[in-house]
Amino acid sequence: MGEQISERWAFRSGWLGLIQEAQAEIGALPAAWKARFVGGKEKFGYLQLAINWQGHARRDRIEAITERFRRRSLTICEECGKPGRLRMGVSIAATRCNDHASFAAPFRDDDGRIVDLPPMGGPIYADGSQGRYGQQKASSS
């Protein structure tokens, strides 16, 4: 199976399946790339993978893998692995199922409207639009 997942990984057990899938996918990359996990954590409610590589590795393929798993993590409860969604708490963003949603409470007024907090740009809303960090989207009600 390659490298073992170590204490450097800061995530709850619900995402273990995602980590194992990502590890297998990285392990299947060309050996010359010397791709390997070097760390990873929960950040803003999603799984952020850190992968090192050397040689002639294609950066776009590595970035596509990390982005695909980042997005998938936004649909899986970090606590238990059941289907979940991004929960916007007053002081935390967390991807949780209904059973574990209270972890993020108390909730912000826009909880349920924001479905992604990507590293660049701004929040992605349920209607598909993208906002800008530091500016709250006007309510559509």
Side-chain angles (χ1 to χ4, degrees), residues 107-127:
F107 298 105
R108 293 173 21 160
D109 291 339
D110 57 0
D111 177 56
R113 291 180 48 221
I114 296 175
V115 296
D116 191 358
L117 296 169
M120 303 293 287
I124 307 291
Y125 294 92
D127 66 6

Side-chain angles (χ1 to χ4, degrees), residues 1 10 40-41 43 55 60 67 76 82 86-87 94 100 104 115:
M1 186 164 142
K41 63 181 179 178
K43 184 171 184 173
D60 62 327
E67 179 62 8
I76 298 170
K82 291 181 188 175
L86 184 63
R87 310 287 173 156
H100 296 108
V115 296

Side-chain angles (χ1 to χ4, degrees), residues 20-136:
Q20 291 169 334
E21 287 179 45
Q23 188 173 23
E25 193 166 330
I26 295 300
L29 291 172
W33 292 12
K34 298 180 182 172
R36 63 182 182 89
F37 282 123
V38 294
K41 63 181 179 178
E42 179 279 330
K43 184 171 184 173
F44 302 120
Y46 58 77
L47 177 62
Q48 182 179 31
L49 298 177
I51 302 167
N52 274 357
W53 68 91
Q54 297 177 357
H56 300 294
R58 290 192 42 204
R59 173 183 228 107
D60 62 327
R61 284 210 28 215
I62 300 290
E63 289 174 350
I65 291 168
T66 59
E67 179 62 8
R68 188 170 57 259
F69 282 95
R70 185 189 77 77
R71 287 182 183 205
R72 283 188 58 204
S73 71
L74 288 164
T75 66
I76 298 170
C77 178
E78 183 188 4
E79 190 67 34
C80 69
K82 291 181 188 175
R85 71 165 176 86
L86 184 63
R87 310 287 173 156
M88 297 300 299
V90 171
S91 62
I92 191 169
T95 300
R96 296 290 196 271
C97 65
N98 290 338
D99 293 339
H100 296 108
S102 63
F103 174 82
F107 298 105
R108 293 173 21 160
D109 291 339
D110 57 0
D111 177 56
R113 291 180 48 221
I114 296 175
V115 296
D116 191 358
L117 296 169
M120 303 293 287
I124 307 291
Y125 294 92
D127 66 6
S129 65
Q130 185 167 13
R132 293 180 58 191
Y133 288 124
Q135 296 179 353
Q136 190 167 4

